[in-house]
Amino acid sequence: NYAGDDAGGLLNDGRAGLEIARVTFSGNEVGNEGGGLLTATERLVTIRDSVFSGNAAGVPEVDEGVINVNDAAGGGLYTEGGPVNVTRSTFTNNTASAEGGAIRMDNLADVTIADSEVRDNHAGTDGGGIENSAARVTFERVLVADNRAEGDGGGIKNSSSGEFTIVETTVERNSGGHGGGLANAPDNDLVVRSSLFLANTARAPKMVEGELQESGLGGG
């Protein structure tokens, strides 16, 4: 599917809750946010046993012969609004022209991602796998692997306003500018327990249009 506005696969906003179980979002494209799914409801959103694969946010659009690419986030999933629970789900090979190759979170309520994989995703700016700008986010037993960000946070970019807790999670083989595995720039606490950061890479600075980019800090 292709959508010129938000959500290439499914858009959920307003006041209704949403439960998604055993659903595959694959090959969807959107000019703006949420390649596979955008959810902005005030009620609880539950996603379980589902797959987000090969979706893209911010794909090029042609307008009167001019090719435009929007700065768009959440290649697989973009969430805002109320609480979200994601369990036993997989996010692979999704892309975003801006933040959050697989997932972008901007919620004002609790978000939990558990027993899930975020692998082989790409972001044009920050958060190759995940960009977190939400409040009170918890990861439990999540694999974040082989993601790439052109900006910071190859695996995860955290700029949340609430506490971000990572428990029994593996972050490995991701690459970004600063923070190969995790780039942390929040307004609140980061708590990491019983987790592994392995073989992540913060890329060396390079010349872009005659200017040396800032990068290379925080391999893990």
Side-chain angles (χ1 to χ4, degrees):
N1 296 308
Y2 172 78
D5 204 343
D6 294 331
L10 176 63
L11 170 64
N12 177 56
D13 59 7
R15 297 181 180 275
L18 177 67
E19 181 174 353
I20 293 174
R22 300 181 299 280
V23 176
T24 296
F25 296 83
S26 180
N28 300 289
E29 297 180 343
V30 65
N32 287 302
E33 322 284 10
L37 168 64
L38 186 149
T39 178
T41 180
E42 299 174 4
R43 302 293 180 88
L44 175 64
V45 174
T46 300
I47 301 170
R48 58 183 174 86
D49 303 304
S50 293
V51 174
F52 294 75
S53 179
N55 303 288
V59 298
E61 298 176 286
V62 179
D63 183 11
E64 296 182 353
V66 177
I67 298 175
N68 298 311
V69 180
N70 292 328
D71 289 336
L77 171 65
Y78 186 104
T79 71
E80 60 184 4
V84 175
N85 292 333
V86 179
T87 57
R88 299 185 303 277
S89 294
T90 302
F91 298 79
T92 59
N93 295 304
N94 302 285
T95 61
S97 62
E99 303 92 353
I103 304 170
R104 165 71 188 274
M105 299 175 291
D106 197 19
N107 300 70
L108 299 176
D110 293 353
V111 177
T112 299
I113 300 178
D115 302 305
S116 297
E117 292 189 9
V118 180
R119 184 191 293 275
D120 293 309
N121 303 283
H122 176 259
T125 58
D126 300 330
I130 300 158
E131 202 281 337
N132 175 29
S133 296
R136 299 187 304 276
V137 173
T138 301
F139 284 5
E140 298 177 341
R141 299 172 300 279
V142 178
L143 174 64
V144 183
D146 302 302
N147 302 286
R148 178 183 174 89
E150 298 305 316
D152 297 338
I156 305 167
K157 172 67 183 291
N158 179 40
S159 56
S160 62
S161 59
E163 185 175 285
F164 182 27
T165 302
I166 299 173
V167 180
E168 296 180 2
T169 287
T170 297
V171 180
E172 61 182 3
R173 298 187 306 275
N174 304 284
S175 67
H178 296 314
L182 166 65
N184 188 48
D187 296 325
N188 210 308
D189 295 336
L190 170 69
V191 179
V192 182
R193 298 192 180 101
S194 304
S195 295
L196 174 66
F197 288 75
L198 174 67
N200 301 287
T201 302
R203 295 188 300 274
K206 64 180 179 180
M207 296 295 293
V208 176
E209 297 180 351
E211 295 186 2
L212 188 65
Q213 285 187 322
E214 292 187 10
S215 63
L217 302 180

